[in-house]
Amino acid sequence: SGILEDNIKAVLDKYELDGIFFDYEYPIEDEYWETYNSFIVSLDETLGDKYKIGIAVAGWDLGQDKQARIIVLMTYDLWDNKGNHATYTHAIEDIIKCRFAGYDMSKVDLGLPFYARPTTGEGYWYAYNNYAEYIDESGLYFDSEITGLTFSFNTQTLIKEKTQLAIASGLGGVMVWHYGCDTPSGSGNSL
């Protein structure tokens, strides 16, 4: 209707912000993507070049309009057949999907998880900073006391490799979910 778009612009103007970012996860149905895309295009017309628009998407559900100005690939909460969370292979696959779909890769950011998920895919999220000194070189931690599950973290090495992949692939950057899960930068094991 234009009302939401105008209200968003008013907030951005009032607080002198750089733009707006949407983390509308997994519209999935085509009709939801169509509505979402129409809104993003309408918002883009309302905001013009003065403001940035960003959206978070999953590589397995690329349905957004290419007019979105910044796209964050949520390449996490995915497992390989061994139960490893958010692997390097997942990052490569999502980058290839975006390139194949014709997105401007300089406007794509690769999402990096600073948290773990259990190898079973169950609904637990463990912050890296609480377990950094206990994970093994593969990024695994067995929680014998609380859940009895093994958790898969991205290690310092894997985060570095994914960052290098983003640069080599011509991506605009990386996005971390989220910095509060990291250890202090001088700790020696900061991601």
Side-chain angles (χ1 to χ4, degrees):
S1 68
I3 296 171
L4 179 57
E5 295 90 323
D6 290 340
N7 287 337
I8 289 170
K9 185 176 185 310
V11 170
L12 296 174
D13 288 342
K14 179 178 179 178
Y15 295 102
E16 299 179 4
L17 300 172
D18 293 330
I20 185 164
F21 188 87
F22 296 95
D23 188 3
Y24 172 38
E25 296 189 22
Y26 320 126
I28 300 174
E29 301 290 331
D30 287 343
E31 67 180 294
Y32 302 144
W33 271 120
E34 290 170 16
T35 302
Y36 186 41
N37 285 330
S38 294
F39 167 70
I40 293 295
V41 170
S42 176
L43 180 64
D44 185 53
E45 291 168 358
T46 300
L47 297 182
D49 291 334
K50 183 176 178 182
Y51 296 109
K52 296 176 183 172
I53 299 173
I55 63 174
V57 298
W60 53 265
D61 191 28
L62 292 177
Q64 73 285 343
D65 194 286
K66 292 170 189 63
Q67 193 164 344
R69 298 204 205 128
I70 300 172
I71 297 167
V72 171
L73 278 171
M74 297 183 298
T75 306
Y76 36 75
D77 295 341
L78 304 166
W79 294 264
D80 67 9
N81 58 6
K82 296 179 183 176
N84 295 306
H85 171 238
T87 67
Y88 187 81
T89 301
H90 288 126
I92 291 172
E93 290 170 351
D94 281 357
I95 290 169
I96 290 170
K97 287 176 191 172
C98 281
R99 182 168 282 122
F100 184 75
Y103 293 99
D104 179 348
M105 299 307 286
S106 70
K107 296 180 180 178
V108 174
D109 294 340
L110 180 63
L112 305 175
F114 280 22
Y115 64 92
R117 296 293 308 275
T119 57
T120 57
E122 293 179 56
Y124 293 96
W125 291 259
Y126 277 24
Y128 174 80
N129 57 5
N130 294 322
Y131 301 93
E133 61 187 272
Y134 306 112
I135 64 174
D136 69 19
E137 59 215 23
S138 299
L140 299 176
Y141 167 74
F142 176 65
D143 180 5
S144 61
E145 294 181 18
I146 300 173
T147 64
L149 299 172
T150 299
F151 285 79
S152 176
F153 289 89
N154 276 203
T155 62
Q156 287 177 305
T157 300
L158 184 52
I159 293 295
K160 180 179 179 179
E161 289 171 350
K162 286 182 178 182
T163 302
Q164 290 170 336
L165 174 65
I167 293 167
S169 299
L171 272 58
V174 298
M175 181 279 291
V176 170
W177 185 257
H178 64 81
Y179 283 117
C181 292
D182 199 6
T183 61
S185 61
S187 69
N189 54 13
S190 172
L191 295 174

